Amino acid sequence: MQDRLETVLRDAQQIAGSPEEHLDSPHLFTTAWATLKAARGQGFDPARLRAAHLVERPAPTPEPTEQVLERVGHKVRRVMADRRITPHGPHAA
């Protein structure tokens, strides 16, 4: 009996740990999540669980380095001007 419980929990962990593989079968993902919560003695509200929210989305395409540096430089100069900070040193712009 104990072996069966361990197998069920291991399967549930595998399913809940890879939601992107189970988006087409939300009932399977929900059942696995409920199993894990029950094993910890916790309550479970399936209306609050959405597998799609757990899937990592790809990051937006990064800007070219030159654009990032230019944008950051403008922001730093604007903040310095607002705070009346005078640049000094060999790298002051």
Side-chain angles (χ1 to χ4, degrees), residues 70-81:
E70 184 177 340
R71 189 180 71 233
V72 169
H74 286 300
K75 172 118 180 159
V76 168
R77 285 190 284 281
R78 187 172 59 242
V79 169
M80 288 176 70

Side-chain angles (χ1 to χ4, degrees), residues 9-21:
L9 290 175
R10 192 174 330 117
D11 290 346
Q13 284 176 329
Q14 189 276 327
I15 293 167
S18 56
E20 67 278 2
E21 295 176 12

Side-chain angles (χ1 to χ4, degrees), residues 5-46:
L5 179 60
E6 289 177 12
T7 302
V8 168
L9 290 175
R10 192 174 330 117
D11 290 346
Q13 284 176 329
Q14 189 276 327
I15 293 167
S18 56
E20 67 278 2
E21 295 176 12
H22 305 285
L23 289 176
D24 294 334
S25 54
H27 64 281
L28 182 63
F29 183 82
T30 303
T31 303
W33 195 260
T35 301
L36 293 173
K37 295 291 274 186
R40 298 181 100 189
Q42 298 173 340
F44 173 69
D45 180 8

